Amino acid sequence: MAVTTASTRRQFLTLLGLSTVVVSCGTAVTGTSAGKGQTKTLRYQGWAGQVTLPELAEDLGYLGDVKLEWVGNTISGPQDIQSAATGQTDFGGAFNGAVVKLAANKAPVKAVISYYGSDKYAYSGYYVLEDSPIRSPRDLIGKKVGMNTLGAHAEAMLDIYLQRGGLSQADIDKVEPLVVPPVNVEQSLRQKQIDVAVLSGVLRDKALATGGIRPLFTDFELLGAFSAGTFVMTDRFLAQNPDTTRTFVTGVGKAIEWARTTPREKVIARMTDIVEKRGRNEDAEPLKYWNSFGVAETAGRITGKELQLWIDWLSERGDIKKGQVSLSDLYTNEFNTGGSDGAQKSAPAATASKSGS
């Protein structure tokens, strides 16, 4: 079981310190001039044992003549959007704070649709063993918190929890976030290699079904219902492949609404069938615990507030300079024909303030 320690706690989001590499590489993305000859194949990374919304959209027939080309799996949102920014893939998805940080490093990318979030069914939980003495933010001082990657959603939520608990920066620095592959997080907690396990989706529900653990807090408790991550594409790809992008984004939006309105058992059956058909030697059993993608807005349309939240928070922390990122340049709904600007489902306004108000 591989566990990686951050070199320093304050190297938050350094996985995205890519400004020079990303800007130089991001302008060389494959594609042709807008109109005739637009690419109809989108390269992407998947997640082992899971079905992404684009994969679901393709299986449902919502992508039309646009095809997906799987190039491998990722375990990290920051790595996924880095691959998109450098042209290794045509789209990638990550926690919105990581998207903001990537844009702050001058990567020529735009968020085009939300693809995951937190609600009462889909959320990231921070779990401890049932008999653990950890019950408050202060109890985490000197403790190890296992998560899939640093500099993304899990570390951001931990940081907010500690801030709201009144911990000083010196005390926060004593909490040790560790990288643990998602499939090993539960086992690491039960073997007491870590003190807290960040679990979400089917891995969370499977662990809860086994028993012996309890939640310390969840991101839903911290911020309410909110869209947490977006898919990004490079500006060059969007300019050269507008019709393909529109088909892709709108199709993913349709898949979001299909999953939202279809009985859970049918969604699970469909996703299980997808995993079995693609032949990647994966275990489809955890899919039975799926409940929701957690996207707050209709068809995954982006309102701006889910990104502004992290612009403000990263600025307050000093991770980016005030004014370094322009919200209007960060996202677009141009390619999403799902929902409508005047009739979107809006999530409650979230805040990452230290006070929690």
Side-chain angles (χ1 to χ4, degrees):
M1 187 275 297
V3 177
T4 304
T5 306
S7 57
T8 68
R9 168 71 173 162
R10 289 302 95 204
Q11 286 180 324
F12 188 80
L13 290 175
T14 50
L15 288 174
L16 291 175
L18 310 167
S19 52
T20 303
V21 175
V22 167
V23 173
S24 62
C25 296
T27 57
V29 178
T30 57
T32 56
S33 58
K36 276 190 173 183
Q38 294 181 44
T39 183
K40 294 295 183 181
T41 300
L42 300 180
R43 298 161 300 149
Y44 79 103
Q45 294 182 121
W47 291 79
Q50 300 181 39
V51 175
T52 67
L53 275 165
E55 289 171 329
L56 179 61
E58 182 179 45
D59 191 72
L60 289 167
Y62 293 158
L63 298 189
D65 60 352
V66 174
K67 304 300 179 185
L68 300 180
E69 180 183 333
W70 176 69
V71 298
N73 286 329
T74 182
I75 61 166
S76 160
Q79 186 277 330
D80 198 31
I81 60 174
Q82 176 186 351
S83 294
T86 56
Q88 298 172 68
T89 58
D90 296 311
F91 67 88
F95 153 62
N96 282 328
V99 172
V100 169
K101 186 68 174 180
L102 186 65
N105 283 322
K106 306 301 181 184
V109 297
K110 273 191 174 61
V112 292
I113 188 170
S114 294
Y115 73 98
Y116 86 91
S118 292
D119 60 21
K120 63 182 179 180
Y121 302 112
Y123 56 88
S124 291
Y126 292 65
Y127 292 90
V128 297
L129 294 176
E130 214 159 40
D131 60 355
S132 171
I134 299 174
R135 296 188 176 276
S136 71
R138 190 156 295 278
D139 294 334
L140 288 175
I141 295 174
K143 299 299 190 292
K144 298 176 180 179
V145 184
M147 57 189 67
N148 72 311
T149 187
L150 303 182
H153 186 110
E155 189 174 5
M157 295 300 129
L158 174 63
D159 222 43
I160 293 171
Y161 176 71
L162 297 172
Q163 289 177 346
R164 290 185 176 184
L167 272 67
S168 67
Q169 192 57 57
D171 284 338
I172 290 176
D173 288 343
K174 295 174 185 175
V175 181
E176 189 176 8
L178 301 173
V179 175
V180 183
V183 295
N184 298 126
V185 174
E186 177 190 353
Q187 178 186 8
S188 297
L189 177 65
R190 296 188 188 279
Q191 293 180 347
K192 300 185 178 181
Q193 295 171 319
I194 56 177
D195 302 288
V196 183
V198 183
L199 294 164
S200 61
V202 296
L203 295 177
R204 176 203 65 220
D205 293 340
K206 186 178 179 182
L208 288 172
T210 301
I213 63 174
R214 59 177 171 80
L216 180 62
F217 71 96
T218 72
D219 57 0
F220 178 59
E221 291 172 348
L222 283 180
L223 300 179
F226 66 103
S227 291
T230 46
F231 284 128
V232 303
M233 290 177 153
T234 64
D235 294 336
R236 183 182 179 92
F237 187 91
L238 296 177
Q240 294 183 338
N241 302 279
D243 298 329
T244 296
T245 301
R246 186 169 292 106
T247 298
F248 169 73
V249 173
T250 299
V252 171
K254 287 180 179 178
I256 290 170
E257 294 309 309
W258 180 86
R260 199 195 305 274
T261 58
T262 301
R264 175 175 173 269
E265 293 74 16
K266 290 188 177 181
V267 178
I268 293 173
R270 188 87 185 213
M271 293 196 298
T272 300
D273 184 58
I274 292 171
V275 169
E276 292 174 349
K277 285 190 302 185
R278 67 193 184 193
R280 298 180 194 168
N281 194 28
E282 302 164 279
D283 179 14
E285 183 68 13
L287 287 174
K288 70 181 182 181
Y289 297 102
W290 180 90
N291 282 292
S292 167
F293 286 107
V295 178
E297 307 297 330
T298 300
R301 291 177 67 87
I302 303 169
T303 66
K305 67 177 181 289
E306 62 273 81
L307 291 160
Q308 187 65 53
L309 168 71
W310 301 109
I311 292 174
D312 295 341
W313 185 66
L314 289 167
S315 297
E316 179 185 338
R317 288 170 50 87
D319 287 304
I320 64 174
K321 296 178 181 178
K322 291 187 182 298
Q324 188 174 348
V325 177
S326 170
L327 180 63
S328 61
D329 293 334
L330 192 56
Y331 76 97
T332 179
N333 286 312
E334 176 187 352
F335 304 99
N336 192 343
T337 63
S340 67
D341 288 327
Q344 297 183 51
K345 285 188 207 170
S346 293
T351 174
S353 67
K354 295 180 183 180
S355 64
S357 56

PDB file of all heavy atoms in Angstrom, residues 176-197:
ATOM      1  N   GLU A 176      -1.488  16.016   9.119  1.00  0.00           N
ATOM      2  CA  GLU A 176      -0.716  15.449   8.015  1.00  0.00           C
ATOM      3  C   GLU A 176      -1.597  14.781   6.961  1.00  0.00           C
ATOM      4  O   GLU A 176      -2.042  13.649   7.123  1.00  0.00           O
ATOM      5  CB  GLU A 176       0.278  14.427   8.569  1.00  0.00           C
ATOM      6  CG  GLU A 176       1.285  13.938   7.558  1.00  0.00           C
ATOM      7  CD  GLU A 176       2.314  13.003   8.178  1.00  0.00           C
ATOM      8  OE1 GLU A 176       2.154  12.617   9.356  1.00  0.00           O
ATOM      9  OE2 GLU A 176       3.275  12.656   7.480  1.00  0.00           O
ATOM     10  N   PRO A 177      -1.851  15.480   5.834  1.00  0.00           N
ATOM     11  CA  PRO A 177      -2.586  14.837   4.743  1.00  0.00           C
ATOM     12  C   PRO A 177      -1.659  13.904   3.975  1.00  0.00           C
ATOM     13  O   PRO A 177      -0.513  14.249   3.673  1.00  0.00           O
ATOM     14  CB  PRO A 177      -3.022  16.020   3.865  1.00  0.00           C
ATOM     15  CG  PRO A 177      -2.002  17.071   4.114  1.00  0.00           C
ATOM     16  CD  PRO A 177      -1.506  16.881   5.523  1.00  0.00           C
ATOM     17  N   LEU A 178      -2.136  12.712   3.676  1.00  0.00           N
ATOM     18  CA  LEU A 178      -1.332  11.708   2.977  1.00  0.00           C
ATOM     19  C   LEU A 178      -2.054  11.224   1.735  1.00  0.00           C
ATOM     20  O   LEU A 178      -3.279  11.102   1.728  1.00  0.00           O
ATOM     21  CB  LEU A 178      -1.070  10.497   3.887  1.00  0.00           C
ATOM     22  CG  LEU A 178      -0.345  10.731   5.204  1.00  0.00           C
ATOM     23  CD1 LEU A 178      -0.344   9.433   6.009  1.00  0.00           C
ATOM     24  CD2 LEU A 178       1.071  11.200   4.949  1.00  0.00           C
ATOM     25  N   VAL A 179      -1.304  10.926   0.692  1.00  0.00           N
ATOM     26  CA  VAL A 179      -1.875  10.332  -0.511  1.00  0.00           C
ATOM     27  C   VAL A 179      -1.967   8.820  -0.334  1.00  0.00           C
ATOM     28  O   VAL A 179      -0.957   8.166  -0.067  1.00  0.00           O
ATOM     29  CB  VAL A 179      -1.024  10.662  -1.749  1.00  0.00           C
ATOM     30  CG1 VAL A 179      -1.568   9.919  -2.972  1.00  0.00           C
ATOM     31  CG2 VAL A 179      -1.014  12.159  -2.010  1.00  0.00           C
ATOM     32  N   VAL A 180      -3.181   8.297  -0.470  1.00  0.00           N
ATOM     33  CA  VAL A 180      -3.417   6.857  -0.417  1.00  0.00           C
ATOM     34  C   VAL A 180      -4.328   6.513  -1.592  1.00  0.00           C
ATOM     35  O   VAL A 180      -5.352   7.165  -1.778  1.00  0.00           O
ATOM     36  CB  VAL A 180      -4.098   6.434   0.905  1.00  0.00           C
ATOM     37  CG1 VAL A 180      -4.257   4.917   0.959  1.00  0.00           C
ATOM     38  CG2 VAL A 180      -3.316   6.931   2.111  1.00  0.00           C
ATOM     39  N   PRO A 181      -3.977   5.526  -2.414  1.00  0.00           N
ATOM     40  CA  PRO A 181      -4.858   5.145  -3.521  1.00  0.00           C
ATOM     41  C   PRO A 181      -6.270   4.893  -3.011  1.00  0.00           C
ATOM     42  O   PRO A 181      -6.454   4.258  -1.957  1.00  0.00           O
ATOM     43  CB  PRO A 181      -4.209   3.858  -4.051  1.00  0.00           C
ATOM     44  CG  PRO A 181      -2.766   4.022  -3.713  1.00  0.00           C
ATOM     45  CD  PRO A 181      -2.747   4.718  -2.377  1.00  0.00           C
ATOM     46  N   PRO A 182      -7.293   5.393  -3.713  1.00  0.00           N
ATOM     47  CA  PRO A 182      -8.676   5.275  -3.229  1.00  0.00           C
ATOM     48  C   PRO A 182      -9.082   3.878  -2.792  1.00  0.00           C
ATOM     49  O   PRO A 182      -9.754   3.715  -1.769  1.00  0.00           O
ATOM     50  CB  PRO A 182      -9.488   5.743  -4.440  1.00  0.00           C
ATOM     51  CG  PRO A 182      -8.581   6.699  -5.136  1.00  0.00           C
ATOM     52  CD  PRO A 182      -7.201   6.136  -4.978  1.00  0.00           C
ATOM     53  N   VAL A 183      -8.663   2.873  -3.534  1.00  0.00           N
ATOM     54  CA  VAL A 183      -9.073   1.505  -3.196  1.00  0.00           C
ATOM     55  C   VAL A 183      -8.412   1.005  -1.914  1.00  0.00           C
ATOM     56  O   VAL A 183      -8.823  -0.023  -1.361  1.00  0.00           O
ATOM     57  CB  VAL A 183      -8.766   0.522  -4.348  1.00  0.00           C
ATOM     58  CG1 VAL A 183      -9.606   0.856  -5.564  1.00  0.00           C
ATOM     59  CG2 VAL A 183      -7.285   0.540  -4.697  1.00  0.00           C
ATOM     60  N   ASN A 184      -7.390   1.703  -1.420  1.00  0.00           N
ATOM     61  CA  ASN A 184      -6.674   1.278  -0.215  1.00  0.00           C
ATOM     62  C   ASN A 184      -7.008   2.117   1.019  1.00  0.00           C
ATOM     63  O   ASN A 184      -6.537   1.806   2.117  1.00  0.00           O
ATOM     64  CB  ASN A 184      -5.163   1.342  -0.438  1.00  0.00           C
ATOM     65  CG  ASN A 184      -4.677   0.431  -1.530  1.00  0.00           C
ATOM     66  OD1 ASN A 184      -4.013   0.848  -2.457  1.00  0.00           O
ATOM     67  ND2 ASN A 184      -5.033  -0.849  -1.438  1.00  0.00           N
ATOM     68  N   VAL A 185      -7.798   3.179   0.848  1.00  0.00           N
ATOM     69  CA  VAL A 185      -8.035   4.105   1.957  1.00  0.00           C
ATOM     70  C   VAL A 185      -8.746   3.418   3.118  1.00  0.00           C
ATOM     71  O   VAL A 185      -8.350   3.539   4.283  1.00  0.00           O
ATOM     72  CB  VAL A 185      -8.839   5.333   1.483  1.00  0.00           C
ATOM     73  CG1 VAL A 185      -9.210   6.214   2.683  1.00  0.00           C
ATOM     74  CG2 VAL A 185      -8.035   6.155   0.495  1.00  0.00           C
ATOM     75  N   GLU A 186      -9.806   2.679   2.819  1.00  0.00           N
ATOM     76  CA  GLU A 186     -10.555   2.008   3.886  1.00  0.00           C
ATOM     77  C   GLU A 186      -9.663   1.023   4.634  1.00  0.00           C
ATOM     78  O   GLU A 186      -9.640   0.992   5.872  1.00  0.00           O
ATOM     79  CB  GLU A 186     -11.768   1.274   3.306  1.00  0.00           C
ATOM     80  CG  GLU A 186     -12.551   0.506   4.363  1.00  0.00           C
ATOM     81  CD  GLU A 186     -13.610  -0.417   3.769  1.00  0.00           C
ATOM     82  OE1 GLU A 186     -13.834  -0.367   2.537  1.00  0.00           O
ATOM     83  OE2 GLU A 186     -14.208  -1.198   4.540  1.00  0.00           O
ATOM     84  N   GLN A 187      -8.923   0.218   3.898  1.00  0.00           N
ATOM     85  CA  GLN A 187      -8.038  -0.773   4.514  1.00  0.00           C
ATOM     86  C   GLN A 187      -6.986  -0.088   5.384  1.00  0.00           C
ATOM     87  O   GLN A 187      -6.672  -0.558   6.484  1.00  0.00           O
ATOM     88  CB  GLN A 187      -7.358  -1.598   3.428  1.00  0.00           C
ATOM     89  CG  GLN A 187      -6.372  -2.629   3.960  1.00  0.00           C
ATOM     90  CD  GLN A 187      -5.604  -3.329   2.839  1.00  0.00           C
ATOM     91  OE1 GLN A 187      -5.696  -2.947   1.677  1.00  0.00           O
ATOM     92  NE2 GLN A 187      -4.848  -4.357   3.204  1.00  0.00           N
ATOM     93  N   SER A 188      -6.449   1.030   4.913  1.00  0.00           N
ATOM     94  CA  SER A 188      -5.425   1.757   5.672  1.00  0.00           C
ATOM     95  C   SER A 188      -5.977   2.260   6.991  1.00  0.00           C
ATOM     96  O   SER A 188      -5.284   2.248   8.018  1.00  0.00           O
ATOM     97  CB  SER A 188      -4.900   2.931   4.838  1.00  0.00           C
ATOM     98  OG  SER A 188      -4.276   2.466   3.660  1.00  0.00           O
ATOM     99  N   LEU A 189      -7.238   2.707   6.971  1.00  0.00           N
ATOM    100  CA  LEU A 189      -7.874   3.164   8.210  1.00  0.00           C
ATOM    101  C   LEU A 189      -8.065   1.997   9.170  1.00  0.00           C
ATOM    102  O   LEU A 189      -7.729   2.097  10.358  1.00  0.00           O
ATOM    103  CB  LEU A 189      -9.217   3.809   7.900  1.00  0.00           C
ATOM    104  CG  LEU A 189     -10.040   4.266   9.118  1.00  0.00           C
ATOM    105  CD1 LEU A 189      -9.323   5.392   9.865  1.00  0.00           C
ATOM    106  CD2 LEU A 189     -11.440   4.704   8.686  1.00  0.00           C
ATOM    107  N   ARG A 190      -8.583   0.908   8.671  1.00  0.00           N
ATOM    108  CA  ARG A 190      -8.867  -0.239   9.540  1.00  0.00           C
ATOM    109  C   ARG A 190      -7.591  -0.846  10.111  1.00  0.00           C
ATOM    110  O   ARG A 190      -7.589  -1.406  11.210  1.00  0.00           O
ATOM    111  CB  ARG A 190      -9.678  -1.286   8.776  1.00  0.00           C
ATOM    112  CG  ARG A 190     -11.068  -0.786   8.363  1.00  0.00           C
ATOM    113  CD  ARG A 190     -11.924  -1.893   7.783  1.00  0.00           C
ATOM    114  NE  ARG A 190     -13.167  -1.381   7.222  1.00  0.00           N
ATOM    115  CZ  ARG A 190     -14.258  -1.070   7.929  1.00  0.00           C
ATOM    116  NH1 ARG A 190     -14.244  -1.219   9.246  1.00  0.00           N
ATOM    117  NH2 ARG A 190     -15.340  -0.617   7.323  1.00  0.00           N
ATOM    118  N   GLN A 191      -6.477  -0.724   9.376  1.00  0.00           N
ATOM    119  CA  GLN A 191      -5.193  -1.233   9.863  1.00  0.00           C
ATOM    120  C   GLN A 191      -4.435  -0.181  10.677  1.00  0.00           C
ATOM    121  O   GLN A 191      -3.290  -0.410  11.082  1.00  0.00           O
ATOM    122  CB  GLN A 191      -4.343  -1.688   8.673  1.00  0.00           C
ATOM    123  CG  GLN A 191      -4.908  -2.900   7.956  1.00  0.00           C
ATOM    124  CD  GLN A 191      -4.056  -3.343   6.777  1.00  0.00           C
ATOM    125  OE1 GLN A 191      -3.166  -2.622   6.317  1.00  0.00           O
ATOM    126  NE2 GLN A 191      -4.326  -4.545   6.277  1.00  0.00           N
ATOM    127  N   LYS A 192      -5.079   0.964  10.877  1.00  0.00           N
ATOM    128  CA  LYS A 192      -4.540   2.066  11.695  1.00  0.00           C
ATOM    129  C   LYS A 192      -3.237   2.646  11.145  1.00  0.00           C
ATOM    130  O   LYS A 192      -2.396   3.146  11.886  1.00  0.00           O
ATOM    131  CB  LYS A 192      -4.367   1.616  13.152  1.00  0.00           C
ATOM    132  CG  LYS A 192      -5.680   1.186  13.800  1.00  0.00           C
ATOM    133  CD  LYS A 192      -5.523   0.850  15.274  1.00  0.00           C
ATOM    134  CE  LYS A 192      -6.874   0.483  15.892  1.00  0.00           C
ATOM    135  NZ  LYS A 192      -6.772   0.167  17.335  1.00  0.00           N
ATOM    136  N   GLN A 193      -3.090   2.570   9.826  1.00  0.00           N
ATOM    137  CA  GLN A 193      -1.958   3.236   9.181  1.00  0.00           C
ATOM    138  C   GLN A 193      -2.230   4.727   9.025  1.00  0.00           C
ATOM    139  O   GLN A 193      -1.307   5.525   8.860  1.00  0.00           O
ATOM    140  CB  GLN A 193      -1.689   2.586   7.820  1.00  0.00           C
ATOM    141  CG  GLN A 193      -1.233   1.137   7.920  1.00  0.00           C
ATOM    142  CD  GLN A 193      -1.178   0.458   6.569  1.00  0.00           C
ATOM    143  OE1 GLN A 193      -2.051   0.646   5.723  1.00  0.00           O
ATOM    144  NE2 GLN A 193      -0.150  -0.346   6.354  1.00  0.00           N
ATOM    145  N   ILE A 194      -3.503   5.085   9.013  1.00  0.00           N
ATOM    146  CA  ILE A 194      -3.932   6.482   9.015  1.00  0.00           C
ATOM    147  C   ILE A 194      -4.998   6.634  10.095  1.00  0.00           C
ATOM    148  O   ILE A 194      -5.562   5.649  10.575  1.00  0.00           O
ATOM    149  CB  ILE A 194      -4.498   6.910   7.640  1.00  0.00           C
ATOM    150  CG1 ILE A 194      -5.653   5.984   7.224  1.00  0.00           C
ATOM    151  CG2 ILE A 194      -3.403   6.937   6.585  1.00  0.00           C
ATOM    152  CD1 ILE A 194      -6.323   6.391   5.913  1.00  0.00           C
ATOM    153  N   ASP A 195      -5.263   7.872  10.483  1.00  0.00           N
ATOM    154  CA  ASP A 195      -6.241   8.126  11.539  1.00  0.00           C
ATOM    155  C   ASP A 195      -7.607   8.515  10.992  1.00  0.00           C
ATOM    156  O   ASP A 195      -8.628   8.320  11.654  1.00  0.00           O
ATOM    157  CB  ASP A 195      -5.730   9.256  12.449  1.00  0.00           C
ATOM    158  CG  ASP A 195      -4.383   8.930  13.053  1.00  0.00           C
ATOM    159  OD1 ASP A 195      -4.334   8.053  13.942  1.00  0.00           O
ATOM    160  OD2 ASP A 195      -3.370   9.530  12.633  1.00  0.00           O
ATOM    161  N   VAL A 196      -7.605   9.092   9.787  1.00  0.00           N
ATOM    162  CA  VAL A 196      -8.851   9.529   9.138  1.00  0.00           C
ATOM    163  C   VAL A 196      -8.793   9.113   7.677  1.00  0.00           C
ATOM    164  O   VAL A 196      -7.744   9.237   7.030  1.00  0.00           O
ATOM    165  CB  VAL A 196      -9.030  11.059   9.232  1.00  0.00           C
ATOM    166  CG1 VAL A 196     -10.366  11.477   8.619  1.00  0.00           C
ATOM    167  CG2 VAL A 196      -8.935  11.539  10.675  1.00  0.00           C
ATOM    168  N   ALA A 197      -9.901   8.614   7.164  1.00  0.00           N
ATOM    169  CA  ALA A 197      -9.992   8.219   5.755  1.00  0.00           C
ATOM    170  C   ALA A 197     -11.026   9.079   5.056  1.00  0.00           C
ATOM    171  O   ALA A 197     -12.154   9.218   5.542  1.00  0.00           O
ATOM    172  CB  ALA A 197     -10.378   6.747   5.636  1.00  0.00           C
TER     173      ALA A 197
END
